[in-house]
Amino acid sequence: MISVILGTQWGDEAKGKLTDYYAGKADISVRFQGGNNAGHTIVVGDETFKLRLISSGVVQGKDVVMGNGMVIDPAILLEELAELRSKNVKIGNIYISERAHVIMPYHKQEDVILEELKGKHKAGTTKRGIGPCYSDKVSRIGIRFVDLIDETVFREKLDVVYDIKKKFFSSLGHEIEHSKQDIINEYGKYADFIREYVTDTSVLLNEANNAGKRILMEGAQATHLDIDFGIYPFNTSSNTVCGGVCTGAGVPPKSIGTVLGIVKAYTTRVGTGPVPTELEDDYGNHLAQKGHEYGTVTGRPRRCGWLDLMLVKYSHMLNHLDGIFITKLDVLNGLDKVKVCTGYEVEGKNVPHFPSNMDIFSKCVPVYKEFKGWDFDTDSVLADGLDSLPKAAKDYLLYVEKALGIPLFGVSIGPKRSQTLVLNEIF
Ligand code: IMP
């Protein structure tokens, strides 16, 4: 049985905590796209885990898979494993897809160079080499894990791509920072460490599914950062939508059961591009401060605004969400009013759905519904389910559920596992 958890906005919806919870019910936990541009924070007791590559289930000793749709920096993988071991996590089996692509040193350098050259079109990337690694995959000059673990093949492929990169960098007035021999030495060490984990994860996952295992597919980034449907060019380079599960993990569409969308109770955005509900006032400061809205990966401050249902509705259309989980409701505590964007207008005219045209999108003016503010004790309020919340907070949640027409599967009111109200399971 395969269930999927996806972000419905621009990422950082606090998915890590929920994937941790649902991974507890799963046998295998899987990442199917992206790389260490993701940052999933999980708090267990006094310990905080910030995972970038490995799927959240690792913290609970589950088997974890890094699917073919991922781009993986081996240095970061080794670091992450070392950190988990130093925190005494009992790590289950680790499987890396033979077909996943390897992030190379020149990808990171290229990320920085291209961002500089793009001027106002720069995406504000995480500079982790994600985009260039995916570009090489599509240009068919990428290096996959199956290549990395075979020294002869690795050298042959590197010979070709290194030459291309050298010419490309030089045409832009740069030199490759790492010599070919340094790369061979460094990546040879990674290969020795990683070899035992590399396998055909598509076969593994399909067999596990046929054997009745519960498989959690953990989305990274979010729907509106998707390479096709995100706000191009200010998006990431992978397919973050539910369809990405099939191409990024190698499982058929009909094997997918429940799809859960994570909705943060407000909107945040890292990087550039329009954000219609952005608040550059005390309300925005309140959200940033109370929500600790600084990037897990880059430490950059996130831009904050009211919840934007236009974003989430479009996510629903693309992903067919069976349920939504609303996170960080507590961050709205203490405000005199709370707003939700229910639609967009451009020059007084209704915009029927989330636009693909960035010029139109940058002109969208949000239409709001306003709610009374609320306050509650985040450590004691969930005993009686939704009824233990203040009426205004409950009204807000029920309004969002109704406006989207998607059942509410749960609410999170703080980083701890205890601060979670689960109304519906996904396995
Ligand atoms: P890249 O994925 O590093 O190429 O960055 C492309 C865009 O996606 C930038 O605007 C990033 O800020 C954004 N981005 C990438 N990963 C995340 C994430 O995990 N959360 C939020 N934004 C992200």
Side-chain angles (χ1 to χ4, degrees), residues 10-12 37-39 111 123-128 130-131 220-221 225 234-237 269-272 297 300:
W10 275 305
D12 314 309
N37 47 347
D111 203 350
T125 73
T126 56
K127 300 194 169 72
R128 301 306 193 251
I130 307 295
Q221 289 84 46
L225 289 172
F234 309 111
N235 46 353
T236 193
S237 302
R269 169 85 178 111
V270 199
T272 36
V297 175
R300 285 182 289 176

Side-chain angles (χ1 to χ4, degrees), residues 404-417:
L404 294 170
I406 314 170
L408 184 64
F409 273 31
V411 186
S412 162
I413 60 162
K416 294 184 230 158
R417 280 182 179 168

Side-chain angles (χ1 to χ4, degrees), residues 16 100 158 380 389:
L158 186 64
S380 62
L389 292 168

